[in-house]
C-alpha cells in the first residue's frame, strides 16, 4: 500500500478487510469484491484532489508582462510629446523634434529586458538539467528562490522503500558478543552471534514467501539447507513454528512470545521486529525496516544552508516509524498516519504559516494532490509514480534529494542575474533617455542603449548556465 498510504511495511489482509484500489498484492491469492463505483474509488478521489489543488495554485506573473503594461504606453506618449511640444512652445524645428522623438523611441525599446530576462531563466533551467533536474517552467525556478518551508514524503523520498534487515540483537551475555548492538548494511563484518541468529531466522522463515521472510533470507544471502527443517507450521498473525535440526524454533512478533510464555526482551528500535526462541529460550531479535537513502542528512543540512527555514515530513506510515526517521536525519517536525486528503489539509495549514514559498517533495500516487497544491512540487523521476511526475513542477531524474539544495542555489543565482539585467538595462536607458530628450545623445548613443545593452545583458544571462 506504500504508493497510496506511504506505509512501508506490507499489510496483511483477511476476509472482511477493506482493500483500497491501487495497492499491490505481494504474495498469495486474493479474491476481492468491488463495493464502490469507479468515481468513488481511492484512485479516482486522489485524481479529483489533484484537479482541485491545481486550480488553487496562483501562477507567478511574469515581470516583463507587468512592466510592459505601463512602460510601452508611457514611452510612446513621451515620444509624441517630445516631437510636438518643443516645436510648438520653445521654437524648436519640427525636424529636430521628430529626430529627438525617434532617438527617444530607439533608446526606450525594451530589447534588453525582453531578451535577457527569459534567457536568464532558460540558462538557469539548463544548468539544473545538467545536474539531472527537470524544471517545467521559469516561474517555478523563480518561486524556488524564495523557499521557506520544505515538506517531504517519507517512503520512496527520504527512504528507499525497500524492506531490509537493518538490525540484529542477539540475547547473549555481554562478554560473548555485543548484545543489543545494531548492525546495518554498511556495518561490515557481523559478530558470530549475530550470524548465528540470522542463520536460524533464515532457516525458520525459509518456508514462507512473506516480505519479512524474504528480507531475512536476502540478508543471510546463502542457500538454505531444507533437509534441516521439518514440521513447519504458520501461526496466523503471530509468526511461524518450525523444527530446525530437531529443535523447536519460534520466529514471530511479540504476540507469539507472549502466547508461548517466553520471557523476551523487547526490541528498542522502530520497525518490524522478528523475535526468535529455541526450545522455549529467547535468542534475540531481528529488526526489519525501510532503509534511509544515502546522503539524506547531508541533503537536509544543505537545504538549511541554502535558506530553508523549516523542514517537515508528512507520511501515512506509523507515528513511531516517522518520528524515528525524522530524528535520525534532522527534520524539524513530522506528521504521521496521514491519508492523501489529510496531506492536502496539512499543506494548506503549512501554507498559511509559511513566510515564503512552500516546496513539497514526494514520489507516490498519494503525493500527487499535495505536489499540485504546493507552491513548488518536486517529484522523484526514477522510481516515482506517473501521477506524481505529471503533477510536479520539478522532477529529480535520479531521485537524489541532495539535488534540491543545488537547484535552490541555481534559482537564487538566476534570480540575481535577472535583477542585475533589469537594473542595468533600466539604469542605462534612463540616463540615455534623459540625454536624448535634451539632444545630448545622438542615434549612435541610442543604438548602444538598445543593442549594446542587450548584448551585455545577454552575456550576463549566460552566466546562469554555469549553475
Amino acid at each position: 500500500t506504500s504508493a497510496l498510504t506511504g506505509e512501508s511495511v506490507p499489510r496483511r489482509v483477511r476476509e472482511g478487510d477493506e482493500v483500497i484500489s491501487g495497492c499491490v498484492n505481494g504474495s498469495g491469492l486474493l479474491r476481492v469484491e468491488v463495493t464502490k463505483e469507479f468515481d468513488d474509488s481511492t484512485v479516482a478521489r486522489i485524481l479529483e484532489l489533484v484537479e482541485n489543488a491545481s486550480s488553487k495554485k496562483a501562477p507567478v506573473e511574469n515581470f516583463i508582462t507587468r512592466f510592459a503594461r505601463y512602460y510601452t504606453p508611457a514611452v510612446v506618449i513621451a515620444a509624441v510629446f517630445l516631437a510636438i511640444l518643443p516645436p510648438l512652445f520653445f521654437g524648436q524645428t519640427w525636424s529636430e523634434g521628430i529626430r529627438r522623438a525617434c532617438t527617444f523611441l530607439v533608446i526606450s525599446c525594451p530589447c534588453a529586458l525582453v531578451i535577457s530576462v527569459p534567457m536568464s531563466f532558460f540558462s538557469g533551467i539548463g544548468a539544473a538539467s545538467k545536474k539531472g533536474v527537470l524544471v517545467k517552467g521559469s516561474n517555478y525556478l523563480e518561486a524556488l528562490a524564495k523557499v521557506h518551508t520544505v515538506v517531504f514524503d517519507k517512503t520512496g523520498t527520504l527512504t528507499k522503500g525497500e524492506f531490509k534487515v537493518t538490525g540484529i540483537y542477539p540475547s547473549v551475555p555481554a562478554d560473548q558478543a555485543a548484545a543489543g548492538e545494531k548492525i546495518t548494511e554498511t556495518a561490515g563484518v557481523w559478530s558470530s552471534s549475530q550470524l548465528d541468529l540470522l542463520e536460524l531466522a533464515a532457516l525458520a522463515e525459509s518456508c514462507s514467501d512473506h516480505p519479512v521472510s524474504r528480507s531475512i533470507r536476502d540478508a543471510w544471502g546463502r542457500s538454505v539447507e531444507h533437509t534441516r527443517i521439518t514440521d513447519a507450521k504458520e501461526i496466523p498473525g503471530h509468526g511461524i513454528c518450525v523444527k530446525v535440526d530437531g529443535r523447536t524454533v519460534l520466529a514471530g512478533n511479540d504476540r507469539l512470545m507472549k502466547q508461548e510464555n517466553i520471557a523476551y526482551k523487547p526490541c528498542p528500535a522502530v520497525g518490524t521486529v522478528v523475535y526468535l526462541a529455541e526450545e522455549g529460550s529467547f535468542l534475540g531479535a531481528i529488526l526489519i525496516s525501510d532503509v534511509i537513502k544515502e546522503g539524506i542528512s547531508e541533503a537536509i543540512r544543505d537545504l538549511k544552508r541554502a535558506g530553508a527555514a523549516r523542514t517537515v515530513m508528512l507520511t501515512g506510515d506509523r507515528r513511531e516509524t516517522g518520528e524515528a526517521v525524522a530524528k535520525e536525519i534532522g527534520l524539524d517536525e513530522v506528521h504521521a498516519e496521514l491519508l492523501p486528503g489529510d496531506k492536502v489539509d496539512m499543506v494548506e495549514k503549512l501554507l498559511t504559516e509559511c513566510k515564503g514559498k512552500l516546496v513539497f517533495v514526494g514520489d507516490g500516487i498519494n503525493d500527487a494532490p499535495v505536489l499540485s497544491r504546493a507552491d513548488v512540487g518536486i517529484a522523484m523521476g526514477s522510481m516515482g509514480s506517473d501521477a506524481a511526475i505529471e503533477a510536479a513542477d520539478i522532477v529529480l531524474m535520479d531521485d537524489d534529494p541532495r539535488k534540491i539544495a543545488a537547484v535552490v542555489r541555481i534559482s537564487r543565482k538566476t534570480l540575481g542575474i535577472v535583477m542585475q539585467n533589469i537594473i542595468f538595462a533600466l539604469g542605462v536607458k534612463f540616463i540615455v533617455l534623459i540625454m536624448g530628450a535634451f539632444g545630448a545623445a545622438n542615434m549612435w548613443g541610442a543604438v548602444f542603449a538598445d543593442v549594446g545593452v542587450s548584448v551585455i545583458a545577454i552575456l550576463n544571462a549566460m552566466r546562469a548556465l554555469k549553475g
Side-chain angles (χ1 to χ4, degrees):
T1 63
S2 62
L4 288 151
T5 65
E7 187 177 2
S8 57
V9 181
R11 187 163 61 89
R12 286 181 178 271
V13 290
R14 295 186 176 78
E15 186 175 352
D17 289 350
E18 184 177 346
V19 176
I20 56 178
S21 57
C23 61
V24 180
N25 183 24
S27 60
L29 175 66
L30 290 180
R31 294 186 184 276
V32 182
E33 179 185 356
V34 179
T35 58
K36 296 178 182 177
E37 297 285 341
F38 172 74
D39 290 342
D40 297 323
S41 67
T42 304
V43 171
R45 290 205 308 271
I46 288 174
L47 294 176
E48 184 182 353
L49 284 169
V50 172
E51 292 170 5
N52 293 338
S54 298
S55 64
K56 293 180 182 178
K57 182 188 261 187
V60 181
E61 195 174 6
N62 192 287
F63 169 79
I64 297 302
T65 305
R66 298 198 305 270
F67 181 76
R69 189 180 304 163
Y70 306 102
Y71 179 78
T72 304
V75 295
V76 170
I77 292 169
V80 172
F81 287 161
L82 197 60
I84 296 173
L85 295 181
L88 285 178
F89 298 104
F90 301 104
Q92 191 182 76
T93 62
W94 286 100
S95 60
E96 178 65 16
I98 292 172
R99 186 189 70 79
R100 290 190 184 186
C102 290
T103 304
F104 186 89
L105 284 173
V106 172
I107 297 167
S108 65
C109 183
C111 293
L113 294 177
V114 173
I115 297 172
S116 69
V117 171
M119 190 171 180
S120 299
F121 282 115
F122 294 156
S123 298
I125 291 171
S129 67
K130 285 195 290 187
K131 293 184 179 293
V133 181
L134 172 64
V135 183
K136 294 184 180 181
S138 58
N139 54 333
Y140 305 123
L141 200 66
E142 181 182 350
L144 197 62
K146 304 166 187 173
V147 61
H148 174 271
T149 302
V150 183
V151 183
F152 294 91
D153 171 52
K154 183 181 76 71
T155 308
T157 303
L158 298 174
T159 64
K160 293 181 179 180
E162 299 174 357
F163 216 39
K164 291 187 177 182
V165 172
T166 55
I168 299 179
Y169 301 82
S171 178
V172 293
D175 59 345
Q176 293 182 31
E181 179 187 355
K182 181 178 177 180
I183 57 92
T184 64
E185 292 177 276
T186 57
V189 180
W190 298 353
S191 69
S192 59
S193 59
Q194 288 171 331
L195 285 172
D196 290 344
L197 189 64
L198 185 59
E199 180 186 17
L200 189 64
L203 287 166
E205 298 284 358
S206 63
C207 301
S208 173
D209 195 40
H210 189 271
V212 170
S213 306
R214 289 200 297 269
S215 300
I216 291 174
R217 292 198 299 273
D218 289 344
W220 175 239
R222 306 174 196 176
S223 58
V224 176
E225 299 176 37
H226 291 280
T227 54
R228 299 173 60 186
I229 308 160
T230 56
D231 301 337
K233 181 179 70 174
E234 188 166 345
I235 306 169
H238 289 73
I240 194 167
C241 176
V242 63
K243 286 196 174 180
V244 178
D245 298 331
R247 298 172 66 83
T248 302
V249 174
L250 296 170
N253 54 30
D254 55 349
R255 292 194 299 273
L256 180 62
M257 298 294 107
K258 292 173 183 176
Q259 179 180 292
E260 299 297 326
N261 296 318
I262 295 172
Y264 72 101
K265 182 181 179 181
C267 181
V270 177
T272 298
V273 182
V274 176
Y275 294 100
L276 286 119
E278 185 179 49
E279 294 292 332
S281 298
F282 178 63
L283 296 181
I286 293 178
L287 176 69
I288 299 160
S289 60
D290 201 355
V291 181
I292 294 174
K293 286 183 178 179
E294 293 85 359
I296 288 296
S297 297
E298 178 189 345
I300 301 300
R301 287 195 300 270
D302 285 349
L303 266 175
K304 291 185 175 179
R305 281 197 290 265
R310 187 182 185 190
T311 53
V312 184
M313 182 172 74
L314 305 183
T315 179
D317 213 338
R318 292 183 304 128
R319 180 168 300 280
E320 296 82 2
T321 305
E323 288 177 348
V325 171
K327 183 179 179 181
E328 184 170 346
I329 63 178
L331 293 175
D332 296 324
E333 59 185 91
V334 58
H335 302 276
E337 300 175 9
L338 301 175
L339 296 174
D342 299 330
K343 284 188 175 182
V344 175
D345 293 340
M346 184 58 67
V347 165
E348 292 278 7
K349 180 183 175 184
L350 292 170
L351 279 165
T352 61
E353 300 170 356
C354 187
K355 296 177 182 178
K357 298 296 183 181
L358 183 141
V359 176
F360 181 82
V361 189
D363 73 308
I365 299 171
N366 62 322
D367 298 322
V370 198
L371 288 165
S372 294
R373 182 62 192 97
D375 293 317
V376 181
I378 301 178
M380 303 290 121
S382 176
M383 299 299 290
S385 67
D386 291 344
I389 293 169
E390 181 68 26
D393 309 311
I394 296 173
V395 181
L396 305 179
M397 301 310 293
D398 58 359
D399 294 2
D400 187 356
R402 285 175 290 192
K403 299 286 180 68
I404 301 172
V407 180
V408 170
R409 283 191 285 269
I410 288 172
S411 68
R412 288 191 172 156
K413 180 179 179 180
T414 302
L415 210 60
I417 290 172
V418 167
M419 294 308 297
Q420 289 169 15
N421 283 342
I422 291 172
I423 293 168
F424 172 71
L426 291 180
V428 171
K429 284 184 181 294
F430 178 76
I431 293 169
V432 182
L433 276 173
I434 299 298
M435 292 170 65
F438 288 97
N442 58 16
M443 190 56 72
W444 287 108
V447 169
F448 169 77
D450 180 27
V451 179
V453 169
S454 296
V455 171
I456 294 170
I458 288 168
L459 292 173
N460 189 42
M462 292 175 66
R463 292 195 302 115
L465 276 169
K466 297 180 180 179

